[in-house]
Amino acid sequence: MKIVFATNNKHKLLEVQHILPKVYALFSLKDIGFTSDIEETGTTLEDNSDIKAQTVYNWLKDNKITKYNAVFADDTGLEVDALGGKPGVYSARYAGEPANDKNNRQKLLHELKGIKDRQARFRTVVTLIINGKTYQTEGRVEGKIDTEEHGTEGFGYDSLFIPENYNCPFACLKSEEKNRISHRAKAIENLVKLLENKDIK
Ligand code: IMP
């Protein structure tokens, strides 16, 4: 089955390539020749995930490209309890435009300075469009925000997010381990359940 992942984020792509069973052939936006920027104008992860998937699905339809069986998108946010769920849907641009991971991490550490409650979660919302129908599912992982950066693996907020039952952030873990327990791993497991559901084929 040929599936388009509506992303150009090479980190997300690599993770999903490892998580998704090999019966699914994965194609990025670059692979399919989609070069426009998709504006994430939604106010929830659900909205932005849907916007990305619908935009690419419609583009394939408009260009009469029929060789792909399905399209999906991932929108991810880091929800910090002490900040009322922020940065959440605004995680990518938390420190302002243009998006910059290092500045985002610094801003997060600054906002949490002196705050004891560091509880947070990563949440990934996946939107799947197959046979003209849209489905959403999600994956989440609970954890807490470290008081300084640790580790060199991963991307984004990985050097600050300590998953539940661990004592070091995602960036200290081997990619295989992150891909076993992460929000994205859980979201992709749920995506596979949807794809395997005979009713949607
Ligand atoms: P988006 O889903 O591409 O909008 O990502 C939102 C923000 O969360 C970006 O700043 C990403 O770098 C960050 N992000 C997304 N997924 C992860 C992850 O698995 N680990 C760490 N940061 C992530």
Side-chain angles (χ1 to χ4, degrees):
M1 187 184 248
K2 292 182 177 164
I3 303 186
V4 176
F5 181 16
T7 191
N8 273 325
N9 180 321
K10 58 181 191 306
H11 301 283
K12 285 187 180 181
L13 193 62
L14 206 64
E15 289 189 0
V16 174
Q17 268 162 352
H18 283 106
I19 299 164
L20 199 67
K22 297 291 169 262
V23 294
Y24 302 104
L26 202 61
F27 297 85
S28 69
L29 292 182
K30 191 167 169 233
D31 294 331
I32 67 168
F34 181 99
T35 52
S36 314
D37 256 355
I38 303 175
E39 262 198 86
E40 297 183 27
T41 52
T43 54
T44 62
L45 296 176
E46 284 76 8
D47 284 349
N48 281 343
S49 176
D50 188 63
I51 289 169
K52 288 188 257 189
Q54 300 289 351
T55 304
V56 175
Y57 181 82
N58 289 333
W59 179 84
L60 287 169
K61 214 163 132 188
D62 292 347
N63 288 282
K64 302 191 171 43
I65 302 171
T66 55
K67 62 182 164 186
Y68 304 105
N69 306 96
V71 174
F72 77 95
D74 142 333
D75 202 53
T76 297
L78 178 62
E79 301 173 340
V80 181
D81 287 353
L83 301 177
K86 282 188 192 154
V89 69
Y90 304 108
S91 294
R93 286 160 195 82
Y94 189 37
E97 303 266 6
N100 179 301
D101 283 348
K102 190 162 186 282
N103 293 349
N104 289 339
R105 292 192 297 269
Q106 275 170 358
K107 173 158 169 143
L108 183 60
L109 284 177
H110 179 76
E111 295 291 320
L112 287 176
K113 207 166 179 165
I115 295 181
K116 284 221 168 60
D117 173 13
R118 323 267 310 178
Q119 187 66 30
R121 74 205 48 77
F122 262 119
R123 200 157 69 85
T124 290
V125 175
V126 162
T127 302
L128 167 70
I129 309 180
I130 185 164
N131 295 334
K133 288 197 188 130
T134 304
Y135 304 84
Q136 276 193 331
T137 187
E138 69 160 47
R140 54 173 79 195
V141 61
E142 289 290 328
K144 56 184 194 246
I145 305 300
D146 211 338
T147 49
E148 56 183 58
E149 293 194 41
H150 288 108
T152 53
E153 301 290 320
F155 70 104
Y157 296 92
D158 275 349
S159 56
L160 287 178
F161 182 82
I162 307 174
E164 205 171 35
N165 303 320
Y166 288 76
N167 51 24
C168 190
F170 268 150
C172 299
L173 305 183
K174 291 222 165 75
S175 58
E176 293 81 9
E177 184 70 357
K178 180 186 173 193
N179 290 337
R180 202 175 61 74
I181 62 166
S182 78
H183 45 298
R184 187 160 295 106
K186 291 175 182 163
I188 297 300
E189 276 165 29
N190 288 331
L191 170 70
V192 170
K193 282 186 198 149
L194 279 174
L195 289 166
E196 285 173 347
N197 184 341
K198 302 248 178 319
D199 295 340
I200 73 169
K201 283 181 183 159

